[in-house]
Structures are given as structure tokens and as C-alpha cells.
Amino acid sequence: MLSTSQPCPCGSFKTYNDCCLPVHNDQATATQAEQLMRARYSAFVLANIDFLIQSHYHLADTEQERAQIKATTALAWCKLEIVKACQQDKSDTSFVEFKAWYLDNQKLELLHEKSRFIKKTIDNQQYWYYVDGTFPKTLDTKQAVSRNGPCPCNSGKKFKRCCAI
């Protein structure tokens, strides 16, 4: 379990307590799609399946969906990079392009997605929801990292001494 005083997994350079925890605990709502994207990434890192289901617009809480999310949260997530976040003025739709590195069978993989979010008003409160995403067709999702090279999570350690363990 992550201590609330530790750095937030989303890479914001804030503590978890001052970043994604209030959104996870319904003490605050994400005011921008990027903030929800960061909270969802942290939820994958922390295996917060309920939050992932709750923040997905079309997802119902079925056993099959819960099992799929649980399998994804079991991956060793290493780093989130927000490539671009944009919202059109007066629009209830926003896009966040991101890269997320994770380990799968001790091999570093890259998820690069342009996610679509929508804003809905419920009881005079505005909420952002993840809808879906597209994957750039020109991107090679295999990330070459040398065991002796720097770890992509920016820990300052060699990959073999950090996320490859």
C-alpha cells in the first residue's frame, strides 16, 4: 500500500495525498480530463478497480470487466508521461495523449494512447469520465531498454536494479 506522503504514481511531483488520493476517495472531483487521466493511471498502479470502473463512462461493473481490469492492474506500471492534453473551449469533450510504461513478463512495454473523455453534469456537479482511446498507428509499442541503461521510471537507477526486478 502506498503511503499518502509518498510521491504520487502519476508523476505529478506531488504527494499521493495532495494529488490523486482525494479524487480516488471522492473528496474531490477531477476538474480537467488530464487530472482524471492521472488518477486513473494511479488507480492502475494501486489496483483500485472500483475507481477504474466508476470513472469509465460506458463500463458496467460486471464480473468479466472486473476480471479484465484486475489482470491489467497486476502489471508492474513504471511511468506515466502526458504527451498532450487538450480541451476545446465550452466543450464537454477532451483528449489526453499519454505514454505509460509497464512490465509484462519482465519485458518493458509501452502503451501509447489518445484517450477521449467527456464531462457530465450530475446533480449540479461536473464529472469527467474516460470513454475510449485510439492508438497511433505509426508507433512501435516495444520500448528498447538496456538492462544497464537508465530506468524509464526516472528513479535514477539502472533498469536492472529498478523496474526489471
Side-chain angles (χ1 to χ4, degrees), residues 70-135:
K70 186 175 182 180
T72 307
T73 62
L75 297 170
W77 294 94
C78 300
K79 177 185 175 184
L80 173 69
E81 175 189 343
I82 302 296
V83 176
K84 184 178 182 183
C86 59
Q87 178 183 347
Q88 298 174 342
D89 290 339
K90 300 181 182 177
S91 174
D92 290 339
T93 302
S94 185
F95 295 90
V96 178
E97 182 179 352
F98 70 92
K99 294 178 181 178
W101 286 266
Y102 63 95
L103 285 174
D104 187 16
N105 293 322
Q106 297 188 349
K107 186 171 187 177
L108 189 65
E109 302 285 346
L110 171 64
L111 170 64
H112 184 185
E113 180 177 307
K114 182 177 181 183
S115 298
R116 180 169 56 120
F117 294 85
I118 60 168
K119 183 171 40 175
K120 293 290 181 185
T121 302
I122 302 169
D123 296 329
N124 294 324
Q125 179 70 39
Q126 293 185 331
Y127 297 93
W128 282 102
Y129 292 93
Y130 170 80
V131 179
D132 56 19
T134 59
F135 306 100

Side-chain angles (χ1 to χ4, degrees), residues 26-79:
D26 277 339
Q27 297 168 337
T29 58
T31 58
Q32 298 176 355
E34 180 182 345
Q35 186 180 12
L36 180 60
M37 176 66 240
R38 290 182 178 280
R40 285 180 56 81
Y41 175 82
S42 292
F44 275 105
V45 172
L46 300 170
N48 187 342
I49 297 166
D50 292 333
F51 179 80
L52 292 166
I53 290 171
Q54 178 184 29
S55 62
H56 194 291
Y57 185 62
H58 295 293
L59 196 62
D61 190 3
T62 67
E63 287 303 313
Q64 179 182 359
E65 291 164 338
R66 185 169 282 278
Q68 290 172 341
I69 291 172
K70 186 175 182 180
T72 307
T73 62
L75 297 170
W77 294 94
C78 300
K79 177 185 175 184

